[in-house]
Amino acid sequence: MRFDAVYYEPGSLDYPLGKKLKEQFGSLPWIPIESHNAIQEMREKPNAEFGRMKRNLIIGIRKTHKYVENHKVSDYLVPYTSSGCTAMCLYCYLVCNYNKCAYLRLFVNREQMLDRLVRQGEKSSSPLTFEIGSNSDLVLENTITGNLEYTIPRFVREGRGKLTFPTKFDMVEPLLDLEHRGKIIFRMSVNPQPLIQNFKMSDGPSG
Ligand code: SF4
């Protein structure tokens, strides 16, 4: 995936994933920021810059870990390893959440987030289903971070209950052979070609 620049919280480079991303995108300009939540330069850009803003990658540390009760496809919505997306589906609800700042943000403290998920599952009197993909598309994110290849085996070994996430992307090859023991639910939406042509723009391989 191509990006123009990386905006990063310097503390993210203390994490293994932060170091890996620094190597991976070492040829791009790296611009330090105080917080992934408040990049003044981005906030001040006009809405017309939306598409160009999505060509930046934001790297930070997730500090808010609040689980929200859900009762649709899961018991809880869990903030996980990314928010936003590089694609530009015109109907994307993330734009309602993040407005023009719906660019892809990656959070490098995945160990901490998964530890918490495992603990939450253990604490419950009955097995729970956790939605980990309500803020982004984790299959797209996985092509950059490998986070699903980290998360799925570890949750299957240590976690109780199920993980679920939706995707519109087809880069699932590296995930298909992972052991899942029925604890991982992918949800996929498949759009017909006319919809893709008229309502979607994507920087990803499949859109
Ligand atoms: S792929 Fe999903 S998350 Fe990304 S822009 Fe489209 S609807 Fe939004």
Side-chain angles (χ1 to χ4, degrees):
M1 198 170 298
R2 297 174 306 275
F3 292 100
D4 290 343
V6 179
Y7 289 74
Y8 75 109
E9 293 176 7
S12 59
L13 299 183
D14 296 337
Y15 291 78
L17 181 58
K19 291 184 175 49
K20 171 180 169 298
L21 293 168
K22 181 79 170 110
E23 268 187 40
Q24 209 169 320
F25 296 104
S27 62
L28 297 178
W30 279 63
I31 302 154
I33 50 174
E34 246 175 63
S35 165
H36 65 83
N37 266 327
I39 309 174
Q40 200 56 26
E41 180 187 329
M42 302 277 188
R43 284 183 171 179
E44 286 167 2
K45 285 190 194 292
N47 288 349
E49 288 291 307
F50 181 72
R52 268 185 289 277
M53 287 164 73
K54 283 216 168 202
R55 296 187 55 84
N56 295 311
L57 178 63
I58 317 301
I59 298 177
I61 300 162
R62 195 186 270 291
K63 294 160 195 91
T64 308
H65 302 277
K66 190 170 180 287
Y67 290 20
V68 177
E69 279 195 46
N70 181 233
H71 309 305
K72 289 180 185 162
V73 293
S74 66
D75 297 294
Y76 286 98
L77 303 180
V78 174
Y80 204 52
T81 47
S82 52
S83 66
C85 182
T86 57
M88 290 197 284
C89 309
L90 295 184
Y91 49 78
C92 181
Y93 83 97
L94 294 180
V95 180
C96 303
N97 285 357
Y98 303 118
N99 200 293
K100 66 188 174 199
C101 298
Y103 36 66
L104 180 61
R105 294 183 232 182
L106 302 177
F107 304 111
V108 292
N109 47 332
R110 63 186 183 186
E111 293 82 3
Q112 185 189 10
M113 289 183 270
L114 188 48
D115 286 350
R116 189 161 200 269
L117 255 176
V118 169
R119 282 198 306 273
Q120 285 292 120
E122 280 167 358
K123 273 200 310 209
S124 168
S125 55
S126 56
L128 298 172
T129 300
F130 299 104
E131 160 68 88
I132 57 171
S134 60
N135 290 313
S136 63
D137 192 306
L138 293 182
V139 171
L140 174 74
E141 188 226 285
N142 189 60
T143 63
I144 305 171
T145 61
N147 273 343
L148 288 175
E149 287 147 278
Y150 164 79
T151 299
I152 292 174
R154 223 197 109 189
F155 185 83
V156 166
R157 273 195 321 271
E158 301 172 27
R160 178 161 170 261
K162 290 184 167 57
L163 296 184
T164 183
F165 53 88
T167 187
K168 286 194 166 63
F169 289 88
D170 63 359
M171 300 83 87
V172 294
E173 204 59 41
L175 310 175
L176 297 180
D177 288 334
L178 297 178
E179 189 180 2
H180 57 79
R181 297 187 210 161
K183 293 165 86 171
I184 309 294
I185 307 168
F186 290 31
R187 309 185 321 272
M188 307 197 76
S189 55
V190 180
N191 281 335
Q193 199 58 35
L195 250 186
I196 293 171
Q197 272 158 355
N198 292 319
F199 296 106
K200 300 177 84 174
M201 292 165 65
S202 169
D203 187 42
S206 77

